[in-house]
């Protein structure tokens, strides 16, 4: 678990299905995700997978739910994918319930996850990919100090351009 001033980032539980479905079933959330709208069955399957997925080698994915310390409400999820290439790099991802927007939860959670990627997991770099027209997501990347490195067609067949942002671990040696 990762704890911030206001949040807990923790592994998923099957009992989280309703909280996650509350945002994963929304069209306005799914429009920027290659996975689309989730059904209850899809949500339960994904939570079961995320609950015990290893994070020890390239290809592994760590997904953590973001809940408020005050109420314990799930407000979103964050994740790291351990990339094969470039070496020692992780891709950060995030999905938040718009009902909790404007409170800084996404920024706080992603900053903590990126810090864990560098300090706890030892990655040299972190990237994030987001749709070019997803202004809130792009602003989040920029708020935490990431730099736009590429805009190219998304490989998932949705016909959108995808922005790639990156951040180098300040403690890692540069080539």
């Amino acid at each position: 678990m990762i704890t911030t001033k206001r949040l807990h980032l923790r592994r998923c539980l099957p009992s989280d299905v309703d909280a996650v479905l509350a945002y994963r079933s929304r069209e306005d959330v799914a429009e920027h995700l290659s996975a689309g709208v989730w059904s209850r069955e899809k949500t339960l399957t994904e939570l079961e997978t995320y609950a015990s997925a290893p994070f020890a080698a390239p290809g592994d994915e760590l997904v953590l739910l973001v809940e408020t310390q005050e109420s314990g409400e799930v407000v979103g999820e964050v994740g790291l994918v351990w990339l094969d290439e470039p070496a020692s790099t992780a891709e950060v991802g995030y999905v938040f319930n718009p009902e909790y927007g404007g409170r800084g939860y996404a920024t706080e959670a992603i900053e903590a996850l990126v810090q864990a990627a560098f300090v706890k997991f030892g990655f040299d770099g972190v990237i994030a990919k987001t749709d070019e027209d997803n202004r809130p997501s792009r602003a989040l990347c920029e708020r935490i100090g990431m730099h736009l490195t590429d805009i190219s067609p998304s490989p998932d067949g949705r016909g959108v351009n995808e922005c790639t942002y990156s951040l180098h671990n300040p403690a890692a040696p540069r080539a």
Side-chain angles (χ1 to χ4, degrees), residues 17-18 37-38 42 55 58 68-69 72 76 89 94 103 112 119 131-132 136 146 166 172 175:
V17 66
D18 290 330
V37 173
W38 283 10
K42 169 80 171 165
F55 192 68
T68 65
Q69 287 186 36
T89 301
Y94 40 89
R103 301 178 197 181
V119 175
D131 289 0
E132 184 177 27
M146 297 185 100
S166 67

Side-chain angles (χ1 to χ4, degrees), residues 31-32 130-138 158 160-163:
E31 74 177 298
H32 297 295
T130 186
D131 289 0
E132 184 177 27
D133 64 347
N134 188 343
R135 296 284 177 207
S137 185
R138 293 183 67 186
R158 292 180 299 131
V160 299
N161 282 333
E162 183 175 80
C163 296

Side-chain angles (χ1 to χ4, degrees), residues 7-27:
L7 305 171
H8 292 298
L9 284 60
R10 61 163 176 82
R11 287 284 191 156
C12 304
L13 301 169
S15 60
D16 294 315
V17 66
D18 290 330
V20 174
L21 188 59
Y23 57 90
R24 283 293 196 151
S25 63
R26 292 175 58 145
E27 289 285 341

Side-chain angles (χ1 to χ4, degrees), residues 42-61:
K42 169 80 171 165
T43 304
L44 190 54
T45 299
E46 293 297 326
L47 292 180
E48 288 172 352
T49 300
Y50 296 156
S52 60
F55 192 68
D60 288 350
E61 181 177 14

